[in-house]
Amino acid sequence: MNSPVTLSVKVIVPSAATPISPPGSAELQQTRIRATYRSRRYPNLLVVDKENGRKADAANAGIGFARTPLVCVIDADSIIEPDGLLRAAEPFMYDDGRLIAVGGAIRIANGCTIKGGSLQKIGISKSLVPRFQTVEYLRAFLMNRVANAHTNTLMLISGAFGLFRRSTLVEMGGYRHDTVGEDLELVVRMHRHMRDREREYRMAFVPDIVCWTEAPAALDGLDNQRKRWQQGALETLQCHRGMIFNPRYGRIGMLAMPQIVLEDIIGPPAELLGYLVLPAAALLGLLDPMMALAFFFVSVVFGCVLSLGTLALEEQQLRRTPTATDLVRIGIAAVIENFGYRQINLWYRLQGIRRFMKKDSTWAAVPRVGFGKG
């Protein structure tokens, strides 16, 4: 399959590239295109050099220059497995025209051996912060996304990797530039776009499409990432608030959007309230201390069972964890994340709410250490 591949990046032009002037079929970007180059070694590789406009603008430029019916959007710090793109395209081959997007599972690359842009060996990071994120990603992609896709309420295709029907993206105007959560906003707007026009559509999630991404290796990077995720979710809810509990949007308006409200608006303050009220009530004699301790214990056990169940499901279905020792390490991380890591994450999410209320749109960069070093 010799289809054109389009990238949108700022480049230093090598001698192996030839400047060309291909017309873009759709102008979705807001910043100026400086030049385009075609590789002499790989004629189907087109590189677009443009002014910086963040990821949304870069992706829009790539979508505009693309010529194929499908476009893949992938982060620079992510690597898809060799046959991942073919697996992502397969659902479109058997589709009746309703499928507009496909997402896959994202796994943590920290601790893996990666050479020449290729995953050589799967491993687990020696640092606890990436291990905790491994547990989080397993829960998110092997439980939440699978369930959402099954009920046609998939509200997020990760910005790390997604395959989209290009005509739909062009019709919608591509990614929005005024949000820090462009991946969530895009999928929510796709639902709105299709339902406003009363078109039949679906989005798919294929868990055995695995994309490996570099996670923040330290808390300062996690801080910026989680604040941005929280702020982006609130911006999306504000932009599409008319969909919430709106029967016109079916299960998206009546089920999926309220779920986001519950998780991202009600969830963080309610969790903080729980941490404050239960100990205070026990100290003031309003609640039996043993009852408060039992409630905390049950919540921890529930979280552990959910995480360990996801790990067992991953081992049975995908087998991406290489050794029994690594499984034990992840299992231990699933238990101890409840004591400190979850509370730190809550603090970051509350900071994200604060950024949203202040309308702070500055980009919080996530420090990277590079593949194979975290």
Side-chain angles (χ1 to χ4, degrees), residues 224-243:
N224 291 341
Q225 183 191 67
R226 299 310 165 91
K227 285 191 296 189
R228 190 173 70 238
W229 286 2
Q230 181 68 33
Q231 181 182 356
L234 296 178
E235 289 173 349
T236 298
L237 286 171
Q238 182 185 51
C239 180
H240 300 286
R241 58 188 178 276
M243 297 175 66

Side-chain angles (χ1 to χ4, degrees), residues 35-237:
T36 54
Y37 304 89
R38 189 174 300 281
S39 169
R40 293 173 183 167
R41 185 174 181 181
Y42 304 102
N44 62 334
L45 176 62
L46 177 69
V47 178
V48 179
D49 180 18
K50 61 181 291 295
E51 294 177 347
N52 184 22
R54 296 184 180 175
K55 177 188 171 179
D57 201 58
N60 282 345
I63 294 167
F65 278 90
R67 292 290 184 273
T68 53
L70 305 177
V71 290
C72 175
V73 180
I74 186 169
D75 281 350
D77 59 0
S78 301
I79 294 177
I80 188 171
E81 292 187 345
D83 60 346
L85 196 56
L86 289 175
R87 279 190 248 159
E90 186 176 3
F92 287 96
M93 299 177 187
Y94 303 99
D95 179 52
D96 57 3
R98 295 184 302 156
L99 186 61
I100 59 175
V102 169
I106 310 298
R107 291 290 301 269
I108 302 300
N110 303 52
C112 298
T113 302
I114 296 175
K115 295 181 180 179
S118 177
L119 179 69
Q120 303 293 321
K121 182 181 179 182
I122 298 174
I124 303 297
S125 175
K126 296 178 181 179
S127 172
L128 276 177
V129 174
R131 282 194 209 173
F132 291 144
Q133 293 172 81
T134 298
V135 176
E136 287 182 303
Y137 276 52
L138 284 172
R139 280 198 304 262
F141 288 98
L142 293 186
M143 284 201 171
N144 293 359
R145 304 288 169 82
V146 171
N148 291 149
H150 183 70
T151 57
N152 201 23
T153 56
L154 186 63
M155 301 302 288
L156 176 62
I157 290 177
S158 175
F161 171 77
L163 195 64
F164 302 91
R165 192 176 296 277
R166 181 179 175 275
S167 59
T168 303
L169 294 183
V170 172
E171 188 178 289
M172 293 168 48
Y175 286 86
R176 286 185 62 143
H177 299 78
D178 57 351
T179 176
V180 297
E182 68 282 334
D183 49 356
L184 173 63
E185 194 284 327
L186 177 75
V187 176
V188 173
R189 184 156 42 95
M190 291 178 83
H191 283 292
R192 186 171 193 170
H193 178 84
M194 300 301 286
R195 288 180 178 267
D196 281 344
R197 287 153 183 78
E198 298 182 349
R199 299 179 188 171
E200 291 189 9
Y201 73 99
R202 67 185 184 94
M203 301 182 192
F205 176 79
V206 184
D208 59 349
I209 304 170
V210 178
C211 177
W212 298 85
T213 189
E214 183 189 356
L219 289 178
D220 56 348
L222 188 72
D223 178 8
N224 291 341
Q225 183 191 67
R226 299 310 165 91
K227 285 191 296 189
R228 190 173 70 238
W229 286 2
Q230 181 68 33
Q231 181 182 356
L234 296 178
E235 289 173 349
T236 298
L237 286 171

